[in-house]
Amino acid sequence: MESTVSAADARVAAPGTPLLDGMPRQRTARLPAAPAAPRIPAAAPVPRPGPFVRSLLPTPAETPFTFGYAAVLVVTSLFAAYTDPSLVHTLYQESSTDVAHLVRSPALVLVASALWIAGGVTSSYALLFLFVLTALERRIGGRRTAVVFLLGHVLATLATEIPVGAAVLAGHLPGSSLHRLDYGISFGVAACVGALTGLLPPWPRRTVLTVFGGILLADLIQLTDPLSNWGHLLSLAIGVGTWPLVRRWQRTGPQGALATPSTA
């Protein structure tokens, strides 16, 4: 029986090379596929703070007053930390809201004294400034928050320094009391704490007032700095006195929009 050769077999066979009888045409083996490149897992996204955490911190868009003021305080605190101490002390003295400076240039020193943080950015009032003013500004707006802060800062300063001047004139205090070093943001922050409590529900309001007021009373009892301690209590009382005002501001909203009134 004769084997037949297909036309395809005839083309692949070299001349003079006999074909294997009865064997199918041999095909070229396929090369194994190249292994796939290993997949590199994508980098895990960096976790971002939740909305609640972000709402506690100031932002330039939502709380511009607190954010801008905090930036200024950071700059002045870094300046005080890394500059010649004698120069810093001189600046503190020139910014002090003592009786002598209040008589000569009251507006200048009332503003300048609020550009420094007594104790630096790690002090308790620096942290209170960040969280309390942010919360208050989110509720009533930046300009109104500035008004509350200035009320506490200015009125408590005058209420503590005017009696000192009167006591010096009456001969009950030495003349050196007119040059008492007094600067910082604590009076304004205490007023903002008092104002913010008026916008909280009853139980958080009572808790904050009890805890913060108790701390201020304990400081006053220790008599470490009686004038400042009295000033802090006065500032807190000034903030509490603004409750009708800040509640009305909250109802109109930071930008004039109607907001839900707080629980009395």
Side-chain angles (χ1 to χ4, degrees):
M1 183 177 181
E2 294 181 356
S3 59
T4 58
V5 179
S6 65
D9 291 335
R11 285 195 300 269
V12 299
T17 303
L19 296 174
L20 297 178
D21 189 20
M23 295 292 293
R25 177 171 58 90
Q26 300 178 14
R27 295 178 173 84
T28 304
R30 293 184 179 179
L31 296 176
R39 297 183 61 185
I40 301 175
V46 178
R48 298 180 60 186
F52 175 74
V53 176
R54 292 198 299 269
S55 67
L56 298 177
L57 301 175
T59 62
E62 297 178 348
T63 53
F65 169 70
T66 305
F67 185 88
Y69 196 175
V72 172
L73 293 174
V74 168
V75 172
T76 57
S77 298
L78 291 175
F79 178 85
Y82 295 102
T83 308
D84 183 12
S86 61
L87 174 60
V88 174
H89 184 70
T90 301
L91 292 175
Y92 284 164
Q93 286 183 322
E94 293 300 320
S95 304
S96 176
T97 50
D98 53 37
V99 177
H101 283 95
L102 286 173
V103 170
R104 292 200 307 264
S105 52
L108 177 62
V109 294
L110 283 169
V111 173
S113 64
L115 300 179
W116 308 95
I117 304 178
V121 292
T122 58
S123 68
S124 58
Y125 277 99
L127 297 177
L128 282 175
F129 172 91
L130 200 63
F131 296 124
V132 171
L133 267 72
T134 297
L136 188 61
E137 185 172 358
R138 288 184 183 277
R139 288 164 171 79
I140 65 174
R143 293 181 181 178
R144 296 164 178 175
T145 301
V147 169
V148 174
F149 183 92
L150 287 175
L151 279 176
H153 178 68
V154 174
L155 295 182
T157 297
L158 296 178
T160 53
E161 294 296 340
I162 290 177
V164 172
V168 171
L169 290 176
H172 299 302
L173 287 175
S176 59
S177 299
L178 299 177
H179 303 278
R180 173 179 170 271
L181 192 61
D182 187 13
Y183 65 93
I185 60 173
S186 57
F187 289 174
V189 172
C192 289
V193 171
L196 180 62
T197 56
L199 306 179
L200 300 177
W203 277 109
R205 178 190 314 149
R206 294 166 189 159
T207 301
V208 173
L209 285 176
T210 300
V211 173
F212 189 65
I215 294 173
L216 298 184
L217 281 173
D219 291 341
L220 180 61
I221 293 172
Q222 293 176 2
L223 296 177
T224 54
D225 189 354
L227 283 181
S228 294
N229 299 147
W230 274 116
H232 293 148
L233 285 171
L234 287 173
S235 300
L236 181 63
I238 290 169
V240 172
T242 64
W243 282 3
L245 187 62
V246 296
R247 285 170 175 171
R248 184 164 66 249
W249 283 343
Q250 186 188 39
R251 284 194 294 269
T252 59
Q255 303 299 331
L258 186 63
T260 303
S262 61
T263 304

